[in-house]
Amino acid sequence: MDIGSRSFDWNRARAFLAVAEEGSLSAAARALGAAQPTIGRQIAALEAELGVALFERAGRGLTLTPTGADLLAHARAMGEAAGALSLAATGRSEALEGAVTITASEAWAVFVLPPLIAALRRAYPGLSVTLLARNEISDLRRREADIAIRNAAPEDPELIGRKLGESAATLYAAPEYLASIGPLRAAEDFKRCDLVGFGEDSSFVAGLAARGLPVTGRNVSVSSANHLAHWRLVIAGAGIGVMMTEVGDAEPDVVRAAPWFEPFRFPVWLVAHRELRLSRRVRVVFDHLADGITGPGGRLIKE
């Protein structure tokens, strides 16, 4: 086979795949960590190379043309092949040095992981660690990260996971705010409360309603999709919000809004790609995180 018989730029195909999946140049640029004009040039160059139109405008976004839709499956196959190649190469590395990327929610990335990563670097100075603080699930198969902390068991057969236990979260508010609305002695009292929401995500309000609290979207007075901004709004007295109990109980400027309210509990899983667990450096980081979270000093996990 003559692999040099046709020149093809994978970066252009990757840009095409990202735009198709994200729906716009700006979203694709964020996903790839590139500049929007660069993504636009790569798409234009690919269209010129193939002699076809791949996208058409739909409002502020882009939609696939029929030809683009036909080619999308091939681009996805290329992406999976590229990811598999990188995984195989990384998985066979036995050097205890190099880069490892960890992804976790914003709250975990800020309040839980920094001391564990600092200790890891002291023990293994050859490692370079990137911490992705994001609430969306990263695609481990495409190497968006090597290790993830998640609240559900992995369903993909190519991923492996270790359940570390359970974590808890409950409702908090500034004492001044609670004094302004009166004590919350029973569920009915929540009708008069202000909630700090999570942007357009209604699952927080729905979860409270499912627990018997008579709240709706009308109770959301202020919101932020950023979990750290959510927490700062709670501390500032904007309303009632939610946080991990280990973080909330240690914050001197808030109290539990309703001590009788049973905290939310959710599993904590450490997840990696099966192939990457063959890599010594990823295995060391995986085990270090597991030990740090569940060990004697890791009281974050509630069994």
Side-chain angles (χ1 to χ4, degrees):
M1 179 178 66
D2 182 7
I3 62 174
S5 61
R6 178 169 177 81
S7 175
F8 189 81
D9 189 337
W10 159 240
N11 287 325
R12 297 175 183 174
R14 187 174 67 145
F16 164 61
L17 181 59
V19 174
E21 294 184 339
E22 300 294 332
S24 69
L25 293 174
S26 58
R30 288 192 297 271
L32 295 178
Q36 181 174 331
T38 299
I39 300 300
R41 286 193 296 270
Q42 290 174 333
I43 294 297
L46 182 60
E47 290 180 326
E49 179 182 358
L50 299 178
V52 297
L54 299 173
F55 296 99
E56 56 188 6
R57 282 216 168 267
R60 295 184 177 180
L62 295 173
T63 60
L64 288 165
T65 63
T67 301
D70 289 341
L71 296 177
L72 180 59
H74 299 290
R76 282 182 172 145
M78 292 179 65
E80 291 176 0
L85 176 65
S86 180
L87 284 167
T90 304
R92 283 159 177 73
S93 172
E94 286 299 309
L96 201 54
E97 58 183 21
V100 176
T101 299
I102 303 166
T103 180
S105 70
E106 291 164 347
W108 270 79
V110 170
F111 296 115
V112 180
L113 295 181
L116 299 182
I117 292 174
L120 174 71
R121 284 280 298 120
R122 288 192 292 270
Y124 304 101
L127 292 177
S128 172
V129 180
T130 297
L131 177 58
L132 298 180
R134 57 193 305 183
N135 300 318
E136 302 81 11
I137 294 179
S138 297
D139 192 336
L140 300 186
R141 293 190 66 171
R142 292 190 180 176
R143 294 300 308 280
E144 291 181 357
D146 300 315
I147 298 171
I149 295 177
R150 295 179 177 173
N151 297 131
E155 297 180 356
D156 190 324
E158 294 301 314
L159 303 181
I160 60 171
R162 181 191 302 178
K163 185 179 180 182
L164 303 181
E166 291 186 341
S167 187
T170 196
L171 302 175
Y172 293 93
E176 296 81 3
Y177 171 75
L178 292 176
S180 72
I181 65 169
L184 302 174
R185 296 192 177 96
E188 284 297 307
D189 295 330
F190 272 82
K191 288 182 177 179
R192 63 176 184 267
C193 79
D194 297 304
L195 297 176
V196 180
F198 290 97
E200 297 180 358
D201 187 352
S202 61
S203 60
F204 174 43
V205 175
L208 295 179
R211 291 289 207 81
L213 301 186
V215 295
T216 68
R218 294 179 181 178
N219 291 93
V220 177
S221 58
V222 62
S223 65
S224 174
N226 182 288
H227 287 195
L228 303 183
H230 170 99
W231 184 232
R232 296 306 305 179
L233 287 165
V234 173
I235 293 173
I240 296 172
V242 66
M243 178 51 71
M244 293 184 293
T245 56
E246 294 77 12
V247 176
D249 289 349
E251 173 54 58
D253 292 328
V254 300
V255 296
R256 294 197 181 196
W260 48 266
F261 182 79
E262 181 67 23
F264 296 99
R265 294 188 181 276
F266 44 90
V268 177
W269 285 79
L270 202 57
V271 183
H273 194 282
R274 186 177 301 278
E275 188 78 24
L276 283 174
R277 285 289 277 145
L278 300 177
S279 164
R280 185 179 173 218
R281 71 171 182 270
V282 174
R283 188 167 65 249
V284 164
V285 175
F286 190 99
D287 292 341
H288 174 87
L289 293 177
D291 292 342
I293 292 169
T294 62
R299 294 187 296 273
L300 288 164
I301 301 303
K302 309 295 185 184
E303 293 288 1

